Amino acid sequence: MQLLYTAYCAVYLVLLYLLLFPLQFLFLQREAWKPLAHRVNRIWGRLFFFGAGIPVRVEHRFRPDPRGTYVFCANHFSYIDIAAMGVVVDNFFAFVGKSEVKHIPLLGYMFAKLHVQVDRSQPNSRAYSLAKSIRTLAGGRSIMIFPEGGIRAAQPPTMESFKDGAFIMAIQQQVPIVPISLLNNHQILPDTPKVRLHRHPLRAVIHPPIDTKGMTQTDVERLKEETYRIINAELIKEKQVPA
């Protein structure tokens, strides 16, 4: 049954994207239209989770201003995190993600046009992606990043230490960090060799922002530790809830 459900979700996801792609392609042709392309992604995500029978439950301890500029930081335990962020957060944002996505037909085109790519095989790629992210923030668009730098599979999953990039850019542009705890995406799509999707409500917590006004680059470590602490405290609390 699990295999059948996974196959259904995969086919549904692809067909849904093929249906919406012409509209998205149109909106990607002009910079001024890109917020509409982002909205198409959001519709795609909402329709997918609805069709998959996965309710999305977000606890808003803070509601980001849709017109505000933030650096959103979330833990990363599952590949479904990427689709989840499009429905968890309303803002127009750019992902910072692996450049490997660009090789996926159609989806790769969208990612290259709309988001910030990091090619870990290129020595200067991190510096380039950081510079592009800073320009994105300067232009008034938020950034979405998984500061662990990738999925580090473990059971039960625990967060790896954070990389500096998210905190350098937030301080440089003096925009708030918004921590997000993704509580159970690893139960919906575990990072295991056998890809299996499971039906659980998707649950997330959007925490109050951490103000970076007045901070300098000497505060990067402190900001990083505070963000980690906030996200991780919620994950620890989740582990303590009886199954």
PDB file of all heavy atoms in Angstrom, residues 154-186:
ATOM      1  N   ALA A 154      20.029  10.719   9.953  1.00  0.00           N
ATOM      2  CA  ALA A 154      20.258  10.036  11.223  1.00  0.00           C
ATOM      3  C   ALA A 154      18.888   9.666  11.767  1.00  0.00           C
ATOM      4  O   ALA A 154      17.889  10.275  11.417  1.00  0.00           O
ATOM      5  CB  ALA A 154      21.006  10.931  12.202  1.00  0.00           C
ATOM      6  N   GLN A 155      18.834   8.656  12.592  1.00  0.00           N
ATOM      7  CA  GLN A 155      17.566   8.247  13.195  1.00  0.00           C
ATOM      8  C   GLN A 155      17.714   8.164  14.706  1.00  0.00           C
ATOM      9  O   GLN A 155      18.507   7.369  15.185  1.00  0.00           O
ATOM     10  CB  GLN A 155      17.119   6.900  12.625  1.00  0.00           C
ATOM     11  CG  GLN A 155      16.703   6.944  11.169  1.00  0.00           C
ATOM     12  CD  GLN A 155      15.525   7.861  10.916  1.00  0.00           C
ATOM     13  OE1 GLN A 155      14.660   8.041  11.772  1.00  0.00           O
ATOM     14  NE2 GLN A 155      15.490   8.483   9.737  1.00  0.00           N
ATOM     15  N   PRO A 156      16.956   8.941  15.493  1.00  0.00           N
ATOM     16  CA  PRO A 156      16.100  10.016  14.997  1.00  0.00           C
ATOM     17  C   PRO A 156      16.939  11.177  14.494  1.00  0.00           C
ATOM     18  O   PRO A 156      18.076  11.350  14.954  1.00  0.00           O
ATOM     19  CB  PRO A 156      15.310  10.418  16.259  1.00  0.00           C
ATOM     20  CG  PRO A 156      16.203  10.060  17.394  1.00  0.00           C
ATOM     21  CD  PRO A 156      16.964   8.846  16.955  1.00  0.00           C
ATOM     22  N   PRO A 157      16.414  11.972  13.547  1.00  0.00           N
ATOM     23  CA  PRO A 157      17.240  13.037  12.959  1.00  0.00           C
ATOM     24  C   PRO A 157      17.588  14.111  13.979  1.00  0.00           C
ATOM     25  O   PRO A 157      16.766  14.488  14.816  1.00  0.00           O
ATOM     26  CB  PRO A 157      16.346  13.597  11.840  1.00  0.00           C
ATOM     27  CG  PRO A 157      14.967  13.190  12.200  1.00  0.00           C
ATOM     28  CD  PRO A 157      15.067  11.926  12.967  1.00  0.00           C
ATOM     29  N   THR A 158      18.801  14.578  13.912  1.00  0.00           N
ATOM     30  CA  THR A 158      19.257  15.673  14.769  1.00  0.00           C
ATOM     31  C   THR A 158      19.947  16.708  13.880  1.00  0.00           C
ATOM     32  O   THR A 158      20.537  16.362  12.858  1.00  0.00           O
ATOM     33  CB  THR A 158      20.243  15.184  15.842  1.00  0.00           C
ATOM     34  OG1 THR A 158      21.296  14.453  15.197  1.00  0.00           O
ATOM     35  CG2 THR A 158      19.561  14.266  16.840  1.00  0.00           C
ATOM     36  N   MET A 159      19.889  17.952  14.288  1.00  0.00           N
ATOM     37  CA  MET A 159      20.478  19.011  13.465  1.00  0.00           C
ATOM     38  C   MET A 159      21.995  18.988  13.514  1.00  0.00           C
ATOM     39  O   MET A 159      22.594  18.768  14.563  1.00  0.00           O
ATOM     40  CB  MET A 159      19.988  20.383  13.928  1.00  0.00           C
ATOM     41  CG  MET A 159      18.595  20.725  13.439  1.00  0.00           C
ATOM     42  SD  MET A 159      18.319  22.523  13.363  1.00  0.00           S
ATOM     43  CE  MET A 159      18.561  22.994  15.062  1.00  0.00           C
ATOM     44  N   GLU A 160      22.594  19.233  12.362  1.00  0.00           N
ATOM     45  CA  GLU A 160      24.027  19.456  12.271  1.00  0.00           C
ATOM     46  C   GLU A 160      24.306  20.928  12.606  1.00  0.00           C
ATOM     47  O   GLU A 160      23.390  21.752  12.653  1.00  0.00           O
ATOM     48  CB  GLU A 160      24.508  19.159  10.849  1.00  0.00           C
ATOM     49  CG  GLU A 160      24.411  17.701  10.462  1.00  0.00           C
ATOM     50  CD  GLU A 160      25.472  16.846  11.125  1.00  0.00           C
ATOM     51  OE1 GLU A 160      26.645  17.263  11.142  1.00  0.00           O
ATOM     52  OE2 GLU A 160      25.114  15.779  11.653  1.00  0.00           O
ATOM     53  N   SER A 161      25.556  21.259  12.819  1.00  0.00           N
ATOM     54  CA  SER A 161      25.908  22.651  13.074  1.00  0.00           C
ATOM     55  C   SER A 161      25.609  23.488  11.824  1.00  0.00           C
ATOM     56  O   SER A 161      25.649  22.983  10.703  1.00  0.00           O
ATOM     57  CB  SER A 161      27.383  22.765  13.452  1.00  0.00           C
ATOM     58  OG  SER A 161      28.194  22.225  12.433  1.00  0.00           O
ATOM     59  N   PHE A 162      25.306  24.763  12.032  1.00  0.00           N
ATOM     60  CA  PHE A 162      24.936  25.654  10.942  1.00  0.00           C
ATOM     61  C   PHE A 162      26.170  26.256  10.274  1.00  0.00           C
ATOM     62  O   PHE A 162      27.188  26.499  10.913  1.00  0.00           O
ATOM     63  CB  PHE A 162      24.069  26.803  11.460  1.00  0.00           C
ATOM     64  CG  PHE A 162      22.654  26.409  11.806  1.00  0.00           C
ATOM     65  CD1 PHE A 162      21.803  27.322  12.419  1.00  0.00           C
ATOM     66  CD2 PHE A 162      22.154  25.149  11.513  1.00  0.00           C
ATOM     67  CE1 PHE A 162      20.503  26.986  12.734  1.00  0.00           C
ATOM     68  CE2 PHE A 162      20.850  24.800  11.820  1.00  0.00           C
ATOM     69  CZ  PHE A 162      20.020  25.722  12.440  1.00  0.00           C
ATOM     70  N   LYS A 163      26.030  26.510   8.980  1.00  0.00           N
ATOM     71  CA  LYS A 163      27.061  27.235   8.245  1.00  0.00           C
ATOM     72  C   LYS A 163      26.790  28.747   8.383  1.00  0.00           C
ATOM     73  O   LYS A 163      25.704  29.160   8.759  1.00  0.00           O
ATOM     74  CB  LYS A 163      27.086  26.782   6.795  1.00  0.00           C
ATOM     75  CG  LYS A 163      27.189  25.264   6.643  1.00  0.00           C
ATOM     76  CD  LYS A 163      27.881  24.864   5.391  1.00  0.00           C
ATOM     77  CE  LYS A 163      27.989  23.332   5.291  1.00  0.00           C
ATOM     78  NZ  LYS A 163      28.923  22.773   6.247  1.00  0.00           N
ATOM     79  N   ASP A 164      27.777  29.559   8.048  1.00  0.00           N
ATOM     80  CA  ASP A 164      27.717  30.991   8.361  1.00  0.00           C
ATOM     81  C   ASP A 164      26.894  31.839   7.388  1.00  0.00           C
ATOM     82  O   ASP A 164      26.447  32.932   7.735  1.00  0.00           O
ATOM     83  CB  ASP A 164      29.140  31.586   8.388  1.00  0.00           C
ATOM     84  CG  ASP A 164      29.957  31.082   9.571  1.00  0.00           C
ATOM     85  OD1 ASP A 164      29.368  30.476  10.490  1.00  0.00           O
ATOM     86  OD2 ASP A 164      31.189  31.305   9.565  1.00  0.00           O
ATOM     87  N   GLY A 165      26.706  31.354   6.150  1.00  0.00           N
ATOM     88  CA  GLY A 165      26.185  32.207   5.079  1.00  0.00           C
ATOM     89  C   GLY A 165      24.922  32.969   5.413  1.00  0.00           C
ATOM     90  O   GLY A 165      24.826  34.181   5.161  1.00  0.00           O
ATOM     91  N   ALA A 166      23.910  32.280   5.967  1.00  0.00           N
ATOM     92  CA  ALA A 166      22.626  32.920   6.253  1.00  0.00           C
ATOM     93  C   ALA A 166      22.794  34.101   7.197  1.00  0.00           C
ATOM     94  O   ALA A 166      22.114  35.129   7.061  1.00  0.00           O
ATOM     95  CB  ALA A 166      21.659  31.900   6.855  1.00  0.00           C
ATOM     96  N   PHE A 167      23.706  33.970   8.125  1.00  0.00           N
ATOM     97  CA  PHE A 167      23.860  34.960   9.189  1.00  0.00           C
ATOM     98  C   PHE A 167      24.731  36.140   8.730  1.00  0.00           C
ATOM     99  O   PHE A 167      24.497  37.277   9.115  1.00  0.00           O
ATOM    100  CB  PHE A 167      24.409  34.255  10.426  1.00  0.00           C
ATOM    101  CG  PHE A 167      23.610  33.002  10.713  1.00  0.00           C
ATOM    102  CD1 PHE A 167      24.067  31.750  10.305  1.00  0.00           C
ATOM    103  CD2 PHE A 167      22.361  33.104  11.297  1.00  0.00           C
ATOM    104  CE1 PHE A 167      23.302  30.615  10.498  1.00  0.00           C
ATOM    105  CE2 PHE A 167      21.580  31.965  11.496  1.00  0.00           C
ATOM    106  CZ  PHE A 167      22.048  30.728  11.103  1.00  0.00           C
ATOM    107  N   ILE A 168      25.690  35.835   7.856  1.00  0.00           N
ATOM    108  CA  ILE A 168      26.485  36.908   7.248  1.00  0.00           C
ATOM    109  C   ILE A 168      25.593  37.829   6.428  1.00  0.00           C
ATOM    110  O   ILE A 168      25.645  39.053   6.545  1.00  0.00           O
ATOM    111  CB  ILE A 168      27.614  36.318   6.372  1.00  0.00           C
ATOM    112  CG1 ILE A 168      28.657  35.617   7.245  1.00  0.00           C
ATOM    113  CG2 ILE A 168      28.264  37.398   5.513  1.00  0.00           C
ATOM    114  CD1 ILE A 168      29.693  34.822   6.457  1.00  0.00           C
ATOM    115  N   MET A 169      24.723  37.226   5.587  1.00  0.00           N
ATOM    116  CA  MET A 169      23.875  38.051   4.712  1.00  0.00           C
ATOM    117  C   MET A 169      22.831  38.826   5.512  1.00  0.00           C
ATOM    118  O   MET A 169      22.538  39.985   5.202  1.00  0.00           O
ATOM    119  CB  MET A 169      23.227  37.187   3.617  1.00  0.00           C
ATOM    120  CG  MET A 169      22.225  36.167   4.105  1.00  0.00           C
ATOM    121  SD  MET A 169      21.448  35.212   2.759  1.00  0.00           S
ATOM    122  CE  MET A 169      22.709  33.989   2.392  1.00  0.00           C
ATOM    123  N   ALA A 170      22.262  38.198   6.558  1.00  0.00           N
ATOM    124  CA  ALA A 170      21.248  38.882   7.369  1.00  0.00           C
ATOM    125  C   ALA A 170      21.848  40.102   8.061  1.00  0.00           C
ATOM    126  O   ALA A 170      21.235  41.177   8.094  1.00  0.00           O
ATOM    127  CB  ALA A 170      20.660  37.921   8.392  1.00  0.00           C
ATOM    128  N   ILE A 171      23.045  39.932   8.608  1.00  0.00           N
ATOM    129  CA  ILE A 171      23.703  41.049   9.295  1.00  0.00           C
ATOM    130  C   ILE A 171      24.114  42.136   8.304  1.00  0.00           C
ATOM    131  O   ILE A 171      23.908  43.332   8.547  1.00  0.00           O
ATOM    132  CB  ILE A 171      24.913  40.548  10.104  1.00  0.00           C
ATOM    133  CG1 ILE A 171      24.431  39.753  11.330  1.00  0.00           C
ATOM    134  CG2 ILE A 171      25.799  41.702  10.544  1.00  0.00           C
ATOM    135  CD1 ILE A 171      25.542  39.073  12.117  1.00  0.00           C
ATOM    136  N   GLN A 172      24.638  41.722   7.175  1.00  0.00           N
ATOM    137  CA  GLN A 172      25.086  42.721   6.186  1.00  0.00           C
ATOM    138  C   GLN A 172      23.931  43.593   5.725  1.00  0.00           C
ATOM    139  O   GLN A 172      24.082  44.800   5.527  1.00  0.00           O
ATOM    140  CB  GLN A 172      25.752  42.042   4.995  1.00  0.00           C
ATOM    141  CG  GLN A 172      26.220  43.039   3.949  1.00  0.00           C
ATOM    142  CD  GLN A 172      27.394  42.527   3.134  1.00  0.00           C
ATOM    143  OE1 GLN A 172      28.152  41.685   3.582  1.00  0.00           O
ATOM    144  NE2 GLN A 172      27.547  43.041   1.938  1.00  0.00           N
ATOM    145  N   GLN A 173      22.755  42.973   5.541  1.00  0.00           N
ATOM    146  CA  GLN A 173      21.591  43.732   5.068  1.00  0.00           C
ATOM    147  C   GLN A 173      20.682  44.198   6.211  1.00  0.00           C
ATOM    148  O   GLN A 173      19.666  44.845   5.958  1.00  0.00           O
ATOM    149  CB  GLN A 173      20.786  42.877   4.079  1.00  0.00           C
ATOM    150  CG  GLN A 173      21.489  42.653   2.758  1.00  0.00           C
ATOM    151  CD  GLN A 173      21.814  43.957   2.054  1.00  0.00           C
ATOM    152  OE1 GLN A 173      20.942  44.812   1.871  1.00  0.00           O
ATOM    153  NE2 GLN A 173      23.071  44.140   1.674  1.00  0.00           N
ATOM    154  N   GLN A 174      21.068  43.841   7.458  1.00  0.00           N
ATOM    155  CA  GLN A 174      20.307  44.267   8.646  1.00  0.00           C
ATOM    156  C   GLN A 174      18.833  43.858   8.550  1.00  0.00           C
ATOM    157  O   GLN A 174      17.918  44.622   8.861  1.00  0.00           O
ATOM    158  CB  GLN A 174      20.428  45.773   8.847  1.00  0.00           C
ATOM    159  CG  GLN A 174      21.863  46.255   9.075  1.00  0.00           C
ATOM    160  CD  GLN A 174      22.387  45.958  10.482  1.00  0.00           C
ATOM    161  OE1 GLN A 174      22.109  46.680  11.419  1.00  0.00           O
ATOM    162  NE2 GLN A 174      23.163  44.872  10.607  1.00  0.00           N
ATOM    163  N   VAL A 175      18.605  42.612   8.094  1.00  0.00           N
ATOM    164  CA  VAL A 175      17.232  42.086   8.034  1.00  0.00           C
ATOM    165  C   VAL A 175      17.085  40.987   9.082  1.00  0.00           C
ATOM    166  O   VAL A 175      18.058  40.321   9.446  1.00  0.00           O
ATOM    167  CB  VAL A 175      16.887  41.546   6.625  1.00  0.00           C
ATOM    168  CG1 VAL A 175      16.997  42.649   5.582  1.00  0.00           C
ATOM    169  CG2 VAL A 175      17.755  40.364   6.245  1.00  0.00           C
ATOM    170  N   PRO A 176      15.871  40.770   9.588  1.00  0.00           N
ATOM    171  CA  PRO A 176      15.676  39.776  10.650  1.00  0.00           C
ATOM    172  C   PRO A 176      15.854  38.343  10.156  1.00  0.00           C
ATOM    173  O   PRO A 176      15.564  38.015   9.000  1.00  0.00           O
ATOM    174  CB  PRO A 176      14.230  40.000  11.106  1.00  0.00           C
ATOM    175  CG  PRO A 176      13.803  41.292  10.494  1.00  0.00           C
ATOM    176  CD  PRO A 176      14.632  41.484   9.270  1.00  0.00           C
ATOM    177  N   ILE A 177      16.326  37.502  11.062  1.00  0.00           N
ATOM    178  CA  ILE A 177      16.318  36.053  10.863  1.00  0.00           C
ATOM    179  C   ILE A 177      14.998  35.524  11.421  1.00  0.00           C
ATOM    180  O   ILE A 177      14.609  35.868  12.538  1.00  0.00           O
ATOM    181  CB  ILE A 177      17.486  35.380  11.629  1.00  0.00           C
ATOM    182  CG1 ILE A 177      18.846  35.744  11.031  1.00  0.00           C
ATOM    183  CG2 ILE A 177      17.289  33.867  11.700  1.00  0.00           C
ATOM    184  CD1 ILE A 177      19.293  34.878   9.880  1.00  0.00           C
ATOM    185  N   VAL A 178      14.301  34.700  10.648  1.00  0.00           N
ATOM    186  CA  VAL A 178      13.083  34.052  11.145  1.00  0.00           C
ATOM    187  C   VAL A 178      13.332  32.548  11.231  1.00  0.00           C
ATOM    188  O   VAL A 178      13.409  31.870  10.204  1.00  0.00           O
ATOM    189  CB  VAL A 178      11.868  34.342  10.236  1.00  0.00           C
ATOM    190  CG1 VAL A 178      10.631  33.604  10.753  1.00  0.00           C
ATOM    191  CG2 VAL A 178      11.594  35.841  10.161  1.00  0.00           C
ATOM    192  N   PRO A 179      13.486  32.001  12.451  1.00  0.00           N
ATOM    193  CA  PRO A 179      13.700  30.551  12.583  1.00  0.00           C
ATOM    194  C   PRO A 179      12.388  29.790  12.337  1.00  0.00           C
ATOM    195  O   PRO A 179      11.312  30.244  12.744  1.00  0.00           O
ATOM    196  CB  PRO A 179      14.145  30.397  14.050  1.00  0.00           C
ATOM    197  CG  PRO A 179      14.455  31.789  14.538  1.00  0.00           C
ATOM    198  CD  PRO A 179      13.582  32.697  13.733  1.00  0.00           C
ATOM    199  N   ILE A 180      12.493  28.653  11.674  1.00  0.00           N
ATOM    200  CA  ILE A 180      11.334  27.785  11.413  1.00  0.00           C
ATOM    201  C   ILE A 180      11.694  26.359  11.801  1.00  0.00           C
ATOM    202  O   ILE A 180      12.723  25.830  11.363  1.00  0.00           O
ATOM    203  CB  ILE A 180      10.908  27.840   9.932  1.00  0.00           C
ATOM    204  CG1 ILE A 180      10.493  29.266   9.543  1.00  0.00           C
ATOM    205  CG2 ILE A 180       9.766  26.862   9.659  1.00  0.00           C
ATOM    206  CD1 ILE A 180      10.180  29.446   8.075  1.00  0.00           C
ATOM    207  N   SER A 181      10.855  25.746  12.628  1.00  0.00           N
ATOM    208  CA  SER A 181      11.047  24.338  12.997  1.00  0.00           C
ATOM    209  C   SER A 181      10.093  23.479  12.164  1.00  0.00           C
ATOM    210  O   SER A 181       8.869  23.630  12.258  1.00  0.00           O
ATOM    211  CB  SER A 181      10.764  24.120  14.490  1.00  0.00           C
ATOM    212  OG  SER A 181      11.658  24.843  15.298  1.00  0.00           O
ATOM    213  N   LEU A 182      10.652  22.617  11.318  1.00  0.00           N
ATOM    214  CA  LEU A 182       9.868  21.638  10.566  1.00  0.00           C
ATOM    215  C   LEU A 182       9.842  20.366  11.412  1.00  0.00           C
ATOM    216  O   LEU A 182      10.842  19.662  11.519  1.00  0.00           O
ATOM    217  CB  LEU A 182      10.497  21.398   9.195  1.00  0.00           C
ATOM    218  CG  LEU A 182      10.584  22.640   8.299  1.00  0.00           C
ATOM    219  CD1 LEU A 182      11.366  22.330   7.027  1.00  0.00           C
ATOM    220  CD2 LEU A 182       9.194  23.163   7.957  1.00  0.00           C
ATOM    221  N   LEU A 183       8.688  20.082  12.013  1.00  0.00           N
ATOM    222  CA  LEU A 183       8.643  19.108  13.101  1.00  0.00           C
ATOM    223  C   LEU A 183       8.667  17.654  12.647  1.00  0.00           C
ATOM    224  O   LEU A 183       9.244  16.803  13.329  1.00  0.00           O
ATOM    225  CB  LEU A 183       7.394  19.352  13.958  1.00  0.00           C
ATOM    226  CG  LEU A 183       7.305  20.744  14.608  1.00  0.00           C
ATOM    227  CD1 LEU A 183       6.009  20.863  15.400  1.00  0.00           C
ATOM    228  CD2 LEU A 183       8.511  20.998  15.502  1.00  0.00           C
ATOM    229  N   ASN A 184       8.030  17.338  11.521  1.00  0.00           N
ATOM    230  CA  ASN A 184       7.874  15.915  11.215  1.00  0.00           C
ATOM    231  C   ASN A 184       7.972  15.564   9.736  1.00  0.00           C
ATOM    232  O   ASN A 184       7.467  14.524   9.304  1.00  0.00           O
ATOM    233  CB  ASN A 184       6.529  15.416  11.753  1.00  0.00           C
ATOM    234  CG  ASN A 184       5.350  16.027  11.006  1.00  0.00           C
ATOM    235  OD1 ASN A 184       5.403  17.176  10.572  1.00  0.00           O
ATOM    236  ND2 ASN A 184       4.288  15.261  10.841  1.00  0.00           N
ATOM    237  N   ASN A 185       8.613  16.419   8.926  1.00  0.00           N
ATOM    238  CA  ASN A 185       8.744  16.091   7.503  1.00  0.00           C
ATOM    239  C   ASN A 185       9.516  14.796   7.278  1.00  0.00           C
ATOM    240  O   ASN A 185       9.300  14.099   6.286  1.00  0.00           O
ATOM    241  CB  ASN A 185       9.417  17.241   6.750  1.00  0.00           C
ATOM    242  CG  ASN A 185       8.472  18.413   6.544  1.00  0.00           C
ATOM    243  OD1 ASN A 185       7.299  18.339   6.899  1.00  0.00           O
ATOM    244  ND2 ASN A 185       8.977  19.497   5.987  1.00  0.00           N
ATOM    245  N   HIS A 186      10.425  14.473   8.208  1.00  0.00           N
ATOM    246  CA  HIS A 186      11.194  13.225   8.089  1.00  0.00           C
ATOM    247  C   HIS A 186      10.304  11.997   8.261  1.00  0.00           C
ATOM    248  O   HIS A 186      10.686  10.895   7.853  1.00  0.00           O
ATOM    249  CB  HIS A 186      12.327  13.201   9.122  1.00  0.00           C
ATOM    250  CG  HIS A 186      11.847  13.259  10.534  1.00  0.00           C
ATOM    251  ND1 HIS A 186      11.418  14.427  11.116  1.00  0.00           N
ATOM    252  CD2 HIS A 186      11.725  12.293  11.486  1.00  0.00           C
ATOM    253  CE1 HIS A 186      11.051  14.186  12.366  1.00  0.00           C
ATOM    254  NE2 HIS A 186      11.228  12.904  12.611  1.00  0.00           N
TER     255      HIS A 186
END
